[in-house]
């Protein structure tokens, strides 16, 4: 037994020795390393917010394995960059091997306090080797200061506060804005963590040119009797988007929650705004007046939301020069009745991240739920108006406009005029839907399945070109300038844009 134990110890020692032994020979680096890029540009970051991780590949193209004696950040331990070389984190590394015709990864990330740097363009270098063999790769990051709005924390439990709405606690992390926070300026971006809520009888004013960024699971709530006024200009638009500034996130849907205008909020305005990359761009609830809009949308673009661009629930929305693009469900859902008046608007849903079941625009007069006994209940509400004038309904589905009426009494008023509708009912799914009889008196001057000739649907660019069937087919309205400020007082085109001539590719 003793001999067996001695044998096992020897085996273990040999194994350990084998694991620690380098089973190949290397030569010192000779300054002939190659890199996947000569500069690593880390996209703009907000102060004190960590960046994404970027990678650099280091190649040994030679026929012999090499050892790099030293890899380090030029600014040493004071650098705001962090490295991970061949799986090891740090800011300085020694004796890093690369096999012949092989490579290693260097991962780079950063967190920077804007107050601690003199220049918002922060730079450093990764140095490979030293002396005459030294090579380097530049690191560049733009640091942006911002105003941050965080939810509060319980002083004892340190749990993040949740909102209380209508006297009832919710699961939404966030808080109500203070009086000093009720103006979002354009001097610095505003970054919101959790849900920031506008209190009852207060108005949140957002200045032209302001940028509002939302963290994951965050958004803006306008409480009952509260108001949102976001009035940008043609040259200084207000932008709502996520807080990931990296280029790879510029068109990623679902990064944040929604702008929620609760039932009873009033006189909300979104003018010259861009709202993108959330779950629902704007959610509007209201059990209010059919004559006074809960929300006025003007010259506004709403793109790339994982569920809805605009979801209205028994509310009143008025819009002109509105563009609502890609959404995972529908661009505009005008549901549970209400009042909806849109003029010179473009609804174009070319969502391609998943299968989309709904049309670009859906209008209905009901909601469904299951009661406490398990019975499915459908309740109807009055559709006071669903009026669309000089609008385009288009997308990558066969059917992009649906009126879905449930009989049960009440109003179902609608009128669509001088509009272009994409509607090919190949399976006769809507043959019994009398609301979709485009020859009826509720439709005037309709272009069915016309060619919109959008400039670039994959990038939510819905300017129409010289081949569009929408040219000169709109009727004169009160809105004599298109979304870009182009005059259309004579020969107006359907949709939010007057047509242009596209440049020919070489």
């Amino acid at each position: 037994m003793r001999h067996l134990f001695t044998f096992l110890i020897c085996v273990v020692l040999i194994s350990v020795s084998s694991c620690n032994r380098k089973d190949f020979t290397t030569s010192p680096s000779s300054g002939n390393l190659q890199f996947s890029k000569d500069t690593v540009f880390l996209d703009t970051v907000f102060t004190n917010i960590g960046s994404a991780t970027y990678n650099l590949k280091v190649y040994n193209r030679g026929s012999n394995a090499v050892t790099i004696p030293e890899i380090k950040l030029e600014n040493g331990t004071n650098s705001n960059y962090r490295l991970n070389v061949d799986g090891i984190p740090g800011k300085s590394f020694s004796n890093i091997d690369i096999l012949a015709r092989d490579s290693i990864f260097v991962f780079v990330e950063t967190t920077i306090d804007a107050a601690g740097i003199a220049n918002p363009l922060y730079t450093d270098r990764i140095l490979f080797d030293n002396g005459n063999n030294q090579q380097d790769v530049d690191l560049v990051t733009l640091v942006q200061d911002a105003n941050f709005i965080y939810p509060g924390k319980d002083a004892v439990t340190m749990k993040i506060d949740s909102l209380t709405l209508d006297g009832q606690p919710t699961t939404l992390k966030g808080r109500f804005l203070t009086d000093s926070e009720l103006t979002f300026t354009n001097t610095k971006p505003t970054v919101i963590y959790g849900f920031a809520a506008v209190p009852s009888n207060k108005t949140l004013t957002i200045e032209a040119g302001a940028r509002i960024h939302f963290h994951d699971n965050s958004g803006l709530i306008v409480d009952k009797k509260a108001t949102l006024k976001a009035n940008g200009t043609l040259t200084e638009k207000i932008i709502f988007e996520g807080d990931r500034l990296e280029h790879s996130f510029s068109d990623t849907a679902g990064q944040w929650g929604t702008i929620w205008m609760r039932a009873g909020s009033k006189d909300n305005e979104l003018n010259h705004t861009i709202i993108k990359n959330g779950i629902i761009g704007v959610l509007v609830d209201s059990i209010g007046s059919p004559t006074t809009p809960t929300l006025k949308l003007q010259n506004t673009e709403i793109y790339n939301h994982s569920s809805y661009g605009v979801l209205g629930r028994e509310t009143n929305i008025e819009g002109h020069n509105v563009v609502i693009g890609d959404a995972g469900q529908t661009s505009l859902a005008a549901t549970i009745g209400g009042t909806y008046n849109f003029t010179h608007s473009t609804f174009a849903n070319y969502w391609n991240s998943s299968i989309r079941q709904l049309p670009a625009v859906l209008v209905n007069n009901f909601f469904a739920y299951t009661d406490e006994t398990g019975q499915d209940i459908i309740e109807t509400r009055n559709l006071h108006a669903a009026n669309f004038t000089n609008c385009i309904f288009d997308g990558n589905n066969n059917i992009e406009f649906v009126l879905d009426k449930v009989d049960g009494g009440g109003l179902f008023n609608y009128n669509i005029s001088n509009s272009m509708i994409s509607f090919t009912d190949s399976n006769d799914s809507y043959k019994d839907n009398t609301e979709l009889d485009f020859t009826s008196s509720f439709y005037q001057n309709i272009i069915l399945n016309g060619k919109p000739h959008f400039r670039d649907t994959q990038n939510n660019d819905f300017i129409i070109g010289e081949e569009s069937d929408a040219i000169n087919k709109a009727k004169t309205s009160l809105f004599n300038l298109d979304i870009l400020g182009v005059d259309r007082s004579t020969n107006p085109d359907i949709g939010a844009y007057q047509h242009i001539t596209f440049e020919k590719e070489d």
Side-chain angles (χ1 to χ4, degrees):
M1 177 65 71
R2 186 181 65 181
H3 295 297
L4 176 60
F5 179 77
T6 302
F7 175 76
L8 291 174
I9 289 295
C10 291
V11 170
V12 170
L13 289 174
I14 292 170
S15 299
V16 171
S17 176
S18 298
C19 290
N20 291 327
R21 180 176 59 85
K22 183 189 294 186
D23 56 2
F24 59 91
T25 59
T26 65
S27 303
S29 171
S30 59
N32 293 318
L33 299 172
Q34 295 182 20
F35 308 99
S36 58
K37 56 194 80 172
D38 57 15
T39 302
V40 178
F41 292 98
L42 286 77
D43 288 318
T44 303
V45 297
F46 287 120
T47 181
N48 292 318
I49 302 298
S51 72
T53 301
Y54 296 77
N55 67 73
L56 168 72
K57 207 166 185 180
V58 184
Y59 299 95
N60 171 21
R61 304 290 193 190
S63 57
N64 296 315
V66 299
T67 296
I68 308 171
E70 186 176 41
I71 299 176
K72 65 180 182 181
L73 289 161
E74 185 175 45
N75 291 334
T77 57
N78 294 323
S79 178
N80 287 306
Y81 291 106
R82 300 181 296 277
L83 304 180
N84 186 301
V85 176
D86 211 18
I88 303 170
K91 297 190 178 185
S92 171
F93 310 84
S94 300
N95 299 322
I96 302 299
D97 299 325
I98 311 180
L99 294 174
R101 299 183 180 87
D102 203 352
S103 61
I104 61 170
F105 276 105
V106 176
F107 297 98
V108 188
E109 59 186 21
T110 188
T111 303
I112 305 172
D113 182 354
I117 59 175
N119 190 329
L121 193 66
Y122 183 75
T123 63
D124 200 347
R125 293 193 300 165
I126 307 176
L127 303 180
F128 296 84
D129 210 333
N130 45 49
N132 293 332
N133 293 329
Q134 188 173 87
Q135 298 174 263
D136 64 81
V137 171
D138 292 329
L139 304 176
V140 179
T141 307
L142 181 64
V143 187
Q144 194 166 11
D145 200 3
N147 294 314
F148 292 89
I149 296 174
Y150 297 101
K153 286 185 178 180
D154 185 278
V156 177
T157 65
M158 297 305 292
K159 289 184 177 180
I160 298 175
D161 292 343
S162 296
L163 274 170
T164 296
L165 299 174
D166 297 332
Q168 299 296 319
T170 72
T171 59
L172 297 176
K173 303 299 182 184
R175 64 174 175 84
F176 283 94
L177 296 170
T178 64
D179 285 353
S180 63
E181 296 172 320
L182 289 175
T183 299
F184 291 175
T185 70
N186 57 17
T187 56
K188 293 181 183 180
T190 297
V191 182
I192 296 175
Y193 279 67
F195 280 82
V198 185
S200 180
N201 297 309
K202 300 288 185 178
T203 297
L204 171 61
T205 301
I206 302 180
E207 294 180 352
R211 299 182 73 100
I212 297 86
H213 299 267
F214 299 97
H215 194 61
D216 186 30
N217 296 318
S218 300
L220 183 64
I221 296 176
V222 187
D223 204 11
K224 60 183 181 182
K225 298 183 180 180
T227 299
L228 170 63
K229 299 286 189 185
N231 286 300
T233 67
L234 179 60
T235 57
E236 291 186 298
K237 296 182 180 182
I238 295 169
I239 299 177
F240 299 87
E241 61 182 329
D243 66 346
R244 299 301 299 268
L245 304 184
E246 300 91 337
H247 179 73
S248 58
F249 285 86
S250 61
D251 294 309
T252 301
Q255 294 179 47
W256 55 282
T258 186
I259 300 171
W260 180 18
M261 299 170 180
R262 299 192 65 223
S265 69
K266 59 182 183 178
D267 301 327
N268 299 296
E269 294 179 2
L270 293 170
N271 187 13
H272 285 296
T273 62
I274 297 174
I275 305 168
K276 62 180 184 176
N277 298 339
I279 297 173
I280 300 173
V282 187
L283 169 59
V284 191
D285 285 327
S286 179
I287 307 173
S289 167
T291 58
T292 303
T294 301
L295 169 64
K296 287 186 177 181
L297 282 170
Q298 305 168 75
N299 306 301
T300 287
E301 304 159 70
I302 302 174
Y303 301 131
N304 203 37
H305 296 277
S306 58
S307 290
Y308 301 93
V310 173
L311 173 57
R313 300 188 296 201
E314 198 174 1
T315 191
N316 187 328
I317 301 175
E318 177 185 302
H320 69 268
N321 286 343
V322 176
V323 179
I324 309 180
D326 293 354
Q329 296 294 326
T330 183
S331 302
L332 169 65
T335 67
I336 322 178
T339 302
Y340 306 91
N341 292 289
F342 283 87
T343 306
H344 276 299
S345 294
T346 298
F347 309 97
N349 197 340
Y350 284 81
W351 176 265
N352 58 13
S353 297
S354 59
I355 297 175
R356 177 167 59 92
Q357 303 291 341
L358 297 177
V361 173
L362 171 67
V363 180
N364 71 35
N365 67 331
F366 65 91
F367 69 100
Y369 64 95
T370 303
D371 67 12
E372 62 275 5
T373 67
Q375 184 177 357
D376 292 333
I377 305 295
I378 294 179
E379 293 191 14
T380 61
R381 295 288 187 269
N382 286 328
L383 179 66
H384 296 281
N387 298 324
F388 296 91
T389 304
N390 302 338
C391 293
I392 295 176
F393 307 88
D394 200 80
N396 53 6
N397 281 356
N398 289 330
I399 293 173
E400 296 295 6
F401 176 76
V402 169
L403 296 172
D404 188 10
K405 177 183 177 182
V406 168
D407 292 326
L411 302 175
F412 198 90
N413 295 326
Y414 61 94
N415 189 81
I416 294 85
S417 64
N418 295 77
S419 294
M420 189 158 67
I421 301 174
S422 178
F423 190 95
T424 303
D425 189 12
S426 302
N427 299 321
D428 290 331
S429 301
Y430 295 95
K431 66 178 182 178
D432 298 324
N433 186 331
T434 57
E435 281 70 40
L436 294 174
D437 177 4
F438 300 117
T439 64
S440 75
S441 61
F442 298 104
Y443 297 88
Q444 307 95 42
N445 301 317
I446 299 301
I447 301 173
L448 199 60
N449 298 318
K451 179 181 180 180
H453 194 207
F454 295 129
R455 183 159 61 179
D456 187 354
T457 60
Q458 296 307 304
N459 289 300
N460 283 300
D461 183 350
F462 300 115
I463 294 175
I464 60 174
E466 66 277 15
E467 299 175 12
S468 177
D469 291 329
I471 295 173
N472 298 341
K473 298 297 175 54
K475 67 180 180 181
T476 303
S477 72
L478 296 174
F479 310 110
N480 292 328
L481 299 178
D482 79 353
I483 192 171
L484 297 178
V486 176
D487 184 88
R488 60 171 170 223
S489 54
T490 59
N491 299 321
D493 299 338
I494 296 173
Y497 299 96
Q498 285 292 99
H499 75 281
I500 64 172
T501 299
F502 297 155
E503 293 183 3
K504 303 297 183 183
E505 295 184 0
D506 294 334

